[in-house]
Amino acid sequence: MYQGILGHGGRRYAWWAAFLIVTSFAVYWTQAASEPPSGGTWQGYGLGGLGVLLILWLSWLGIRKRSYRRASGTLRGWVSAHVYLGLTLPVIATLHCAFQFGLNIHTLAYALMMAVILSGAYGLYVYLRFPNRLVANREDQSRDDLLAELDSLDQTALDAAGQCDDGVYGAVCSALEMSTVGGSFMDQLLARDRSRARLPERGLVDNAQQRAVIDHLVERIPDTSRGGEAENLRALLRVFGRRAELLKRLRRELSLELRLKLWLVFHVPLTFALLAALIAHVVAVFFYW
Amino acid sequence: MADFHIAVLGAGPAGLSAAARAAEYDRENAASQPTHVLLEGTAAHANTIQRYQKGKHVMDEPGYLDLRSPMDFEAGTREVILDDWAQGLKAIGVNMRTGATVNRIEGTRGNFTIHLAGGETVTAEHVILSIGTQGNPRRLGVAGDDSAFVQYQLDDPDEYADEDILVVGAGDAAIENALGLTRQNRVTIVNRKNEFSRAKQGNLDGILAAINDPATPLTCRYQSQVKALQLPTAAGQAGSVILDTPDGEETLPCHRIIARLGSIPPRGFLEDCGIALPNASAEALPELDGQYQCNVAGLHVIGALAGYPLIKQAMNQGQDVVDFIHGKAVKPVEHPLLQVKFGLLPYEADVDEVLALYQQRVPMFARMNALAFRELILESDILYAVDGRAAYTGLEKQARTLRAQRLDDIEHSRRNEDRKRHETGMKPKQWRDIEEPALTGILRAGEAVYRHGEYSTTFYTIVEGEVTLKSPGGPETRLQPGQFFGEMSLLSGRPRLGDAVVAPDTILIATPRRTMLKLMAANGEVATGIETVFLQRTLQQCFAPSLSYTALRDIARRVETRHFNRGEVIYEQGDSGDCLYLIRSGTVALTYRENGRSIAVGHPQSGELFGQLALMGDAVRRETARAAVRVEVIAIKRAEFLELLKRSPDSVPALQADTRDQLLHASRMESVPEASDVISFLLGRGLGEATDALVIDENLCVGCDNCEIACAETHNGISRLNRKAGARFAHINLPIACRHCEQPHCMKECPPNAIHRKPSGEVFIDDSCIGCGNCETNCPYDVIRMEYQAPPKPGLLQWLLTGRGHGPGEDAKAQPSKKAKAAGKKAVKCDACKDRKAGPACVQACPTGAAVRLSPADFADLVEDL
C-alpha cells in the first residue's frame, strides 16, 4: 500500500541511473589513446553537457516541489528520480573531467557538486531512518498528549509537594521551574538536558534526567517522621521518574525533527553555490580556454 | 362582530409579510380602523433574526424564487434587514402588538377567540399562524425564572466581565456559553445528569478539560438542579441560587443565570388549538390545503411551521395567504417555475393538471397533501427520455427557446418592478444575477440515469414509460409507471448497485435525497412503502439474484431492521445465535476475546453479512459484534433464511465462498495481533464509515507538512487537513481531514443545501454556503472549519526572489479583507480535490509517499506488511 522514495515505481529510476552510468563508461572508453581522456574531447563535452543538464534538472526540484497546481506525476516520483539520478553525477562528472583535478574554478565546481551530493546522501539517510525512530520515540502518544501529561504531572507534583516540608517544596518547585527542553542550537541538536534544581544545603545543582531531585527524594524517604510524608515523597518520586522519561522523549523528538530539516540548510545553499560555480566553469571553458 | 378581520400570530418573516399585505388592503379600502392585528410574543419583530450574532449575513435563498411581498428583503446583514423591516412596518402601517403571548386559539372561520397570557382575549374572523418551529425556550420552572436575573440566550459572552455566572444545561449551547464566559468570568455549570452525554465530541472534550483544569475559572455541579432563586435586590447586585445537589442543598451567589435547556416544540400548542398532526413525532407539521389552511377552517399556517423554513418562501406565503382570504385566486409565485419544468413534456395541459395527473399516477404520492407534492416537484427534476436523434435535437432546440423566453419574462418583470419603484419613490432594488431556469431534463432512450458504483442518492419515480435495472451478475428488472427506484443508495448511502436504463418516452421525477428524507420524515406511509421495497431489493441482491424482487415481499415483511449506536453490542461472544445480519449502513467491528485480550477479527461493511455461521452449523457466537459507527442491520432468522435458500438454491455456493473468506481473514487477524490492534484503532476513530480517508504512514513521513501546504495552495489559501493534530497509533497517523463518510453527517440540516456528493464519492461544499455552522457542529470528526476567505498572496516566483509576503501554505496570521469580513465565515472542508485530474493534492505532494487515501476495504492491505 505504501511505497517509499527508493521503491517508487518498481525502482524505475534506479534502472535509469544504472543505464546512465553504463552509457557514461562506454562513452568514456571510446576516447582514443592518441587523445587522452579529458573534458576537452567530444566525449568529455558530451559527459559535461549531460552533467549540466542533470544538475539543472535536479535543482528544479525546489520549484517542482512548490508547484502545487501541477497536474502530472507525484512528488514522490520526482524525489525518487532526484535521488537515483543525483547519485549518478559523481560518476558522470569524474568521467567528464577524466580524473584531472587542480586548484581552479573547475575543481571548485566539482568539489561543490560532491558536497551537495554528500549532503543529499546524508539527507536520504535521515529521511529513511529517522521517521522510524520518531515513531518508536513517540510510543503512540501525540505531542499534544505528551504535553498534557506533563502538565498534569506538574500539577500532581505541586499538590504533593505542598503537603511536604519547605525544603522538599522548594526543591520540587525549583526542579519544575528549571527543567529545560530545547535551549541553544547545539542543545537542541544533541538533545542535551540543561535542567537544574535548587536543593536544600546544596544550592543550585545540575538536574539532568531529574537525577538530582530524584536522589534527594530517595535520601529523604527513609528519614521521614511526619505521618503521610513518606507517601507524598513516594508519589513525587514516581512523578519525577515519569517526567524525566517524557522530557527525554520530547528532547529526542525535537532533536530528530531538527536533524530531519538541518541537512537542507547545507544542501540548498550549496546547490546555489554549485550553480554559480558551474556557470563560471562553463563560461571559463568556452571563453578563456 | 369580531375585533379583527385577520389576526396574524408571530412576527417572523411570514407573519410580517402577511400583516403588511393585510395593512395594504386596509389602506386600499381606506379603513378607519385597522382590520388586522399582528401579535408577537417577544418585544420586537423577527425574534429569531434578532437573536443572530451582530453583523451576521442573512442569505436570500433560494435564488430561483422571486420575492412577492409588500416588505423588502434581500441578502444583507442582520442589522440592515431588521431595520428595513422596522421601517416597512411603520411605512405600511401594520398594527402590531408586541409582548402578546398567545396561549390558545379557539373557534373556527368567522369566529376565532385568541387567548393571550394575562387573560385578555382578541377575536378575529381569520387566523394566520406563523410562529415558526423553534418553540419557546424551556424555562427553569422556579419562581423568578422570568426575571432579568435569568436569561435564556447569550449573544456575546465577552459582554460580561468579572462576574459569577451560573450556566444551567448540558447541551452544546450550554457548554459553548460556559466556555465562552470563562474568558472573563467565574462560571459554574449545572448538569442535571452525571455526564455531558448529549454534547458533541469537541464540546465534551472542551468542558471536561476546563472542569479538570484548576486554572480555568469553571466548576461543575453534576446531578444538580435549580431549586429556588433569590433575586438580586438591585440591578448590578448579585443574587443567589439554591441548588439541589447529591450532597444536599447548596446556595451559590451569582450575578446572572444563563439557562440553556433547549426549547419546547410547538406541538402541544398546536394540539391545544385543535390542529391535527399526521404523526406522533415532536417535529410533526400540520397538513394543509392549497390555501395553507389546516383542518380548522379559517386557520392558516405559513412559514417554517408549514414546512417552509426559508425566509423568502415564508414571505411569499404571507402575501398569498392574505390574498386568498380576500378571495383573490392568485397563482403561487413558483407557478412559472413549474411551467418551464414541464415545458418540454408532450402534454397540452396546464401545470395544475399535470401535477394532479402525476400525483394520481404514483400510488405512493396519491394520498399526499397537494401542497407538499407541489413542493416535492419544485425541488425535483423532471426527466424526459426520447428515442432517436431527431427527437432529441428537436427537444434541445425547444429547450433553448423556452429558456430564452423565461429569461425574457424575468427581465421584463424586473423592469416593471424597477419602474414601479421609481414612480413611487422607493429605493431601487439590487437584483441578483438571474439563475439558470430549471427546464425539463432531456435524456436519450437507452441512456443510464445512473451507473454501477456511482455515489448518488437521487430517488427516481416513473410517471411514464419504463426503466430497466441491470445489476451486475443479477437479473434485469423492468419497472413500470408508478414504481420507483434508487432507494438503496438513498437509504444506505452506498454507491449504486447496477445501472438504471431508460426506455423511449419515459418520464421520471428525480427527487434529491434531502427532499426525499424530509418527505419520509413527514409522511409515514411513504416511508413504509419505500422501506419495504428497499428490503425486498436488498434481500434479492444478497440471497436471490435470480428471483424477482416482488416475489420476496412476504419475506421482506418478516425480517426486522435494527439500529445500534456507536459502541453498542449487537451480540456477545458465547451467546447462542438464532439469526444472521445483513448490514444496511455502517460498519460492524467483530472482536474475539482470548486470555483477556481482545482481537479484531473483522469489520464487515454495508451490504455484507455477519453472524451467518449461527445458521450454518455453529450455533454459538464465536466473536463479539459491536457497532463501529451508527449501524442499521437487517436481522434474518433461521426460517426466513432457509426459505430464501430454498427459493434460490443457486446462491448457496456464493454464500459459502463469502463465509470462507471471512473465516480466513479472521484467522489471519488472530495470528497477527499487531495488525488487529491497528484495525481496532482505525475503527475506534470512526474510520468504519469512511469512504476516502487520509492515512499517513509515520515510518515514511518526514514532517515536512507539504501535504498541508499543497492543500492550502489548491484550496484558496486554507488547508483542510491538520497533520500534527492527528491521532497516532503504531506507525499510523490519522490527520484531521474529511473522510467522506458513507452517510455524511455534515449533509444533514444544511439550510441552503450547499453540501453535495459527486458520483465518484467526494463530499463538497459549494458557494451557496451561508455560514450557519450546522455542518461544523454535525461533523463528529471536527474536519469542518468556519473561515473567512483568505486574502490573496504573492506568486511563487515573487516570493522566492523577493522574500516578500507569506510563502506557500496557509498564512495563520492573515487578516481577512473587508469584503471577506462582510461576506462572513463560510464552512471549509476537504473536497478530495474532486476537480483535480491528478487526484488529491496532499497525496500528490508528499515527497516520501507517506500520505495515502483509503477506505475500510483497504484495511487488510494496510496491515499486510506488519
Side-chain angles (χ1 to χ4, degrees):
Chain A
M1 164 141 303
Y2 289 93
Q3 242 184 6
I5 297 171
L6 296 184
H8 172 84
R11 298 182 183 266
R12 177 186 309 155
Y13 296 109
W15 292 106
W16 283 40
F19 172 75
L20 273 184
I21 289 176
V22 169
T23 315
S24 303
F25 271 107
V27 168
Y28 180 78
W29 280 321
T30 61
Q31 293 180 92
S34 57
E35 200 183 357
S38 81
T41 61
W42 72 260
Q43 290 92 340
Y45 276 118
L47 290 169
L50 176 65
V52 169
L53 287 180
L54 265 179
I55 289 175
L56 292 177
W57 180 81
L58 290 166
S59 313
W60 188 254
L61 181 68
I63 302 286
R64 172 60 186 81
K65 181 191 158 192
R66 293 174 178 85
S67 309
Y68 298 103
R69 290 171 193 283
R70 280 210 34 157
S72 62
T74 61
L75 186 57
R76 181 186 64 192
W78 271 72
V79 173
S80 180
H82 182 88
V83 166
Y84 283 119
L85 300 184
L87 287 172
T88 64
L89 258 183
V91 176
I92 294 170
T94 311
L95 294 178
H96 158 65
C97 73
F99 306 95
Q100 293 168 359
F101 301 105
L103 278 177
N104 52 33
I105 182 74
H106 315 293
T107 303
L108 174 67
Y110 181 87
L112 281 169
M113 184 200 75
M114 291 308 285
V116 172
I117 293 168
L118 282 177
S119 63
Y122 172 70
L124 178 65
Y125 165 77
V126 162
Y127 270 25
L128 294 181
R129 289 293 304 136
F130 285 15
N132 304 36
R133 286 165 66 177
L134 272 167
V135 170
N137 183 56
R138 205 172 276 141
E139 301 281 357
D140 298 339
Q141 205 177 25
S142 74
R143 189 182 295 179
D144 288 349
D145 293 346
L146 185 146
L147 293 177
E149 192 185 343
L150 266 179
D151 270 357
S152 98
L153 285 174
D154 288 2
Q155 196 53 48
T156 317
L158 281 175
D159 291 348
Q163 320 246 339
C164 301
D165 61 44
D166 289 352
V168 171
Y169 184 72
V172 166
C173 289
S174 71
L176 294 184
E177 264 169 34
M178 290 187 275
S179 291
T180 63
V181 171
S184 74
F185 172 74
M186 288 311 282
D187 289 346
Q188 284 186 45
L189 185 68
L190 302 174
R192 276 192 206 132
D193 187 353
R194 299 264 188 206
S195 301
R196 290 186 297 174
R198 193 180 295 280
L199 298 183
E201 290 147 29
R202 291 178 54 200
L204 205 55
V205 295
D206 175 38
N207 188 31
Q209 305 309 322
Q210 310 291 308
R211 205 65 255 167
V213 74
I214 288 175
D215 288 345
H216 178 71
L217 290 169
V218 170
E219 275 166 32
R220 285 290 315 272
I221 292 172
D223 265 356
T224 50
S225 48
R226 281 193 307 187
E229 197 176 353
E231 196 188 323
N232 282 323
L233 291 173
R234 293 287 290 274
L236 283 170
L237 198 57
R238 276 194 298 277
V239 166
F240 278 97
R242 179 72 183 152
R243 260 189 115 241
E245 171 63 22
L246 292 183
L247 290 171
K248 190 168 82 188
R249 271 191 218 158
L250 198 54
R251 279 187 211 100
R252 209 186 288 144
E253 183 169 340
L254 290 178
S255 160
L256 288 169
E257 282 181 356
L258 182 61
R259 282 190 274 168
L260 267 171
K261 294 192 174 82
L262 190 60
W263 66 278
L264 281 166
V265 172
F266 297 97
H267 192 67
V268 175
L270 280 171
T271 302
F272 281 104
L274 165 62
L275 288 174
L278 195 64
I279 290 169
H281 161 66
V282 171
V283 169
V285 166
F286 280 102
F287 292 94
Y288 300 103
W289 202 252
Chain B
M1 178 77 188
D3 300 338
F4 296 104
H5 178 50
I6 297 175
V8 184
L9 273 49
L16 285 176
S17 178
R21 185 63 173 166
E24 278 190 342
Y25 274 106
D26 279 355
R27 190 183 283 180
E28 273 173 33
N29 301 336
S32 54
Q33 289 291 318
T35 68
H36 71 280
V37 65
L38 172 59
L39 300 171
E40 168 59 37
T42 66
H45 63 289
N47 179 41
T48 305
I49 297 173
Q50 301 270 8
R51 286 195 331 224
Y52 285 173
Q53 72 194 30
K54 249 163 85 185
K56 183 178 163 86
H57 190 74
V58 181
M59 303 292 284
D60 57 357
E61 299 299 319
Y64 61 79
L65 206 63
D66 285 332
L67 178 70
R68 185 196 274 176
S69 167
M71 300 287 267
D72 266 347
F73 171 62
E74 58 193 39
T77 61
R78 159 190 177 272
E79 286 72 23
V80 170
I81 287 166
L82 288 174
D83 196 43
D84 273 359
W85 286 347
Q87 282 178 17
L89 283 171
K90 223 179 186 173
I92 301 166
V94 173
N95 177 30
M96 176 159 94
R97 271 185 65 178
T98 53
T101 308
V102 174
N103 281 345
R104 202 159 43 88
I105 309 167
E106 247 177 13
T108 179
R109 181 182 295 144
N111 185 24
F112 283 107
T113 307
I114 301 162
H115 297 267
L116 300 182
E120 195 188 339
T121 58
V122 173
T123 57
E125 291 163 16
H126 301 269
V127 172
I128 300 172
L129 203 55
S130 52
I131 54 172
T133 51
Q134 297 262 313
N136 295 317
R138 210 179 282 280
R139 290 176 177 270
L140 280 177
V142 295
D145 67 358
D146 51 353
S147 69
F149 187 39
V150 184
Q151 60 200 63
Y152 294 92
Q153 68 168 86
L154 176 68
D155 297 325
D156 178 9
D158 295 332
E159 206 178 307
Y160 310 108
D162 203 29
E163 289 193 354
D164 289 297
I165 300 178
L166 195 79
V167 177
V168 189
D172 288 311
I175 295 176
E176 281 161 19
N177 286 176
L179 292 176
L181 286 165
T182 54
R183 284 196 291 269
Q184 301 189 16
N185 304 280
R186 296 167 297 279
V187 180
T188 305
I189 184 164
V190 179
N191 182 349
R192 197 159 48 88
K193 298 200 176 140
N194 57 3
E195 55 181 301
F196 288 90
S197 51
R198 276 187 295 135
K200 75 164 188 150
Q201 198 61 38
N203 279 333
L204 179 63
D205 295 345
I207 192 76
L208 294 181
I211 292 170
N212 293 327
D213 177 11
T216 308
L218 182 134
T219 50
C220 177
R221 296 286 183 280
Y222 288 107
Q223 289 178 288
S224 303
Q225 286 186 62
V226 174
K227 196 174 177 196
L229 304 176
Q230 287 167 358
L231 303 185
T233 44
Q237 297 283 309
S240 59
V241 181
I242 299 164
L243 290 182
D244 210 354
T245 75
D247 306 324
E249 272 185 18
E250 182 184 3
T251 305
L252 282 178
C254 64
H255 292 89
R256 67 185 71 246
I257 298 168
I258 317 272
R260 302 307 301 261
L261 305 165
S263 55
I264 311 162
R267 185 179 174 107
F269 172 74
L270 299 182
E271 283 171 340
D272 285 350
C273 301
I275 300 176
L277 295 167
N279 58 47
S281 147
E283 280 83 39
L285 303 177
E287 285 188 352
L288 307 172
D289 68 8
Q291 301 197 336
Y292 307 113
Q293 194 169 215
C294 70
N295 62 309
V296 181
L299 182 54
H300 302 261
V301 182
I302 56 174
L305 192 58
Y308 300 84
L310 297 169
I311 296 176
K312 201 159 35 172
Q313 281 176 327
M315 292 181 74
N316 289 348
Q317 289 174 351
Q319 162 147 343
D320 288 353
V321 79
V322 172
D323 284 344
F324 290 144
I325 292 173
H326 278 271
K328 272 199 188 168
V330 286
K331 289 270 184 218
V333 76
E334 67 272 10
H335 189 80
L337 299 177
L338 289 171
Q339 256 173 339
V340 295
K341 200 158 258 184
F342 296 149
L344 302 180
L345 299 182
Y347 301 131
E348 293 287 331
D350 172 32
V351 163
D352 292 322
E353 287 166 358
V354 178
L355 280 173
L357 173 76
Y358 282 3
Q359 195 171 1
Q360 201 183 11
R361 188 156 290 174
V362 183
M364 188 174 64
F365 295 148
R367 290 177 54 192
M368 255 171 93
N369 144 342
L371 261 181
F373 184 69
R374 191 185 183 93
E375 186 71 11
L376 176 90
I377 296 294
L378 206 57
E379 290 177 12
S380 304
D381 285 324
I382 303 295
L383 304 178
Y384 177 33
V386 286
D387 200 13
R389 205 193 160 92
Y392 188 83
T393 43
L395 272 184
E396 271 187 323
K397 202 170 147 201
Q398 214 182 320
R400 281 193 294 275
T401 322
L402 192 63
R403 176 180 171 276
Q405 231 169 42
R406 170 70 185 144
L407 293 179
D408 258 6
D409 285 351
I410 297 174
E411 273 171 19
H412 181 73
S413 74
R414 287 188 174 185
R415 275 198 301 275
N416 275 347
E417 172 82 20
D418 282 341
R419 202 173 44 238
K420 206 175 99 189
R421 282 176 166 262
H422 183 70
E423 282 164 6
T424 51
M426 286 163 83
K427 66 174 183 188
K429 205 163 174 173
Q430 291 292 322
W431 296 109
R432 54 199 277 164
D433 294 343
I434 298 177
E435 292 217 2
E436 207 38 51
L439 310 177
T440 319
I442 334 169
L443 299 172
R444 285 191 176 85
E447 205 178 316
V449 281
Y450 60 70
R451 294 202 173 279
H452 181 68
E454 266 181 22
Y455 277 95
S456 62
T457 46
T458 306
F459 178 87
Y460 298 90
T461 316
I462 308 172
V463 281
E464 304 260 7
E466 186 180 88
V467 169
T468 311
L469 302 181
K470 301 177 177 173
S471 61
E476 291 194 355
T477 310
R478 287 173 192 281
L479 301 179
Q480 306 297 331
Q483 290 185 295
F484 56 82
F485 60 98
E487 79 294 335
M488 299 255 267
S489 294
L490 174 79
L491 293 184
S492 72
R494 268 184 290 145
R496 300 288 190 190
L497 278 170
D499 300 351
V501 180
V502 282
D505 300 319
T506 298
I507 299 174
L508 302 174
I509 305 173
T511 313
R513 171 177 187 266
R514 195 165 90 127
T515 309
M516 216 52 221
L517 292 184
K518 202 165 75 183
L519 173 64
M520 286 170 70
N523 189 322
E525 221 172 316
V526 171
T528 322
I530 295 178
E531 180 73 18
T532 312
V533 171
F534 169 81
L535 285 174
Q536 285 166 247
R537 290 190 181 147
T538 308
L539 291 178
Q540 178 205 22
Q541 200 72 42
C542 205
F543 298 102
S546 54
L547 292 184
S548 147
Y549 77 93
T550 42
L552 299 171
R553 198 184 183 95
D554 54 327
I555 300 184
R557 289 202 170 145
R558 286 181 351 236
V559 300
E560 189 192 343
T561 299
R562 297 182 195 164
H563 307 253
F564 295 90
N565 284 327
R566 181 178 176 159
E568 268 186 286
V569 170
I570 301 168
Y571 58 73
E572 197 81 69
Q573 183 175 339
D575 286 356
S576 69
D578 61 345
C579 62
L580 67 79
Y581 297 94
L582 173 56
I583 307 180
R584 270 178 70 147
S585 69
T587 299
V588 171
L590 301 178
T591 52
Y592 170 68
R593 212 173 41 244
E594 192 184 47
N595 303 329
R597 180 164 187 179
S598 154
I599 299 169
V601 290
H603 55 278
Q605 294 155 259
S606 51
E608 295 180 346
L609 291 177
F610 67 98
Q612 67 270 47
L613 275 178
L615 305 184
M616 293 169 86
D618 186 2
V620 178
R621 304 284 190 198
R622 299 296 170 191
E623 71 281 312
T624 298
R626 192 175 264 118
V629 291
R630 189 185 144 78
V631 166
E632 281 183 19
V633 293
I634 303 168
I636 303 168
K637 293 234 158 93
R638 183 179 303 273
E640 286 74 39
F641 177 62
L642 292 179
E643 203 172 325
L644 279 166
L645 295 189
K646 204 169 92 192
R647 287 195 205 175
S648 174
D650 42 343
S651 64
V652 174
L655 203 60
Q656 281 171 337
D658 275 355
T659 311
R660 260 199 314 274
D661 286 348
Q662 273 191 20
L663 284 171
L664 273 177
H665 178 73
S667 109
R668 201 187 116 64
M669 285 292 132
E670 279 173 50
S671 60
V672 192
E674 301 80 31
S676 137
D677 287 348
V678 168
I679 289 186
S680 296
F681 161 75
L682 294 173
L683 291 180
R685 297 284 167 167
L687 240 61
E689 60 178 330
T691 67
D692 185 15
L694 179 63
V695 179
I696 293 179
D697 182 348
E698 293 270 282
N699 279 337
L700 294 176
C701 175
V702 294
C704 64
D705 275 335
N706 216 32
C707 46
E708 283 187 26
I709 298 172
C711 185
E713 286 299 304
T714 46
H715 293 89
N716 305 320
I718 297 171
S719 169
R720 285 101 209 275
L721 77 99
N722 187 343
R723 181 189 63 84
K724 281 200 198 79
R728 290 178 163 94
F729 182 79
H731 64 288
I732 297 291
N733 176 3
L734 211 52
I736 297 183
C738 178
R739 300 110 176 265
H740 304 271
C741 298
E742 204 170 65
Q743 302 241 39
H745 302 269
C746 52
M747 283 172 87
K748 285 181 275 189
E749 299 160 25
C750 173
N753 201 14
I755 309 183
H756 312 274
R757 175 161 229 160
K758 278 197 47 158
S760 40
E762 301 92 339
V763 179
F764 63 98
I765 305 178
D766 70 20
D767 293 341
S768 65
C769 169
I770 56 171
C772 68
N774 277 357
C775 53
E776 186 199 22
T777 314
N778 283 337
C779 174
Y781 307 112
D782 287 330
V783 303
I784 301 183
R785 291 161 65 186
M786 305 302 297
E787 294 292 343
Y788 291 115
Q789 193 184 23
K793 283 193 303 190
L796 177 62
L797 267 184
Q798 197 186 336
W799 169 75
L800 275 176
L801 297 177
T802 66
R804 267 202 217 139
H806 191 274
E810 182 172 330
D811 181 0
K813 290 190 192 125
Q815 290 300 317
S817 66
K818 259 192 187 156
K819 198 175 146 210
K821 269 206 153 155
K825 288 188 175 181
K826 299 283 163 69
V828 294
K829 71 177 270 300
C830 161
D831 59 358
C833 294
K834 61 185 173 61
D835 299 323
R836 282 188 98 228
K837 279 209 188 89
C842 49
V843 175
Q844 198 200 9
C846 177
T848 61
V852 163
R853 300 192 74 101
L854 44 80
S855 74
D858 306 316
F859 286 179
D861 289 343
L862 179 70
V863 296
E864 188 90 306
D865 307 329
L866 282 174

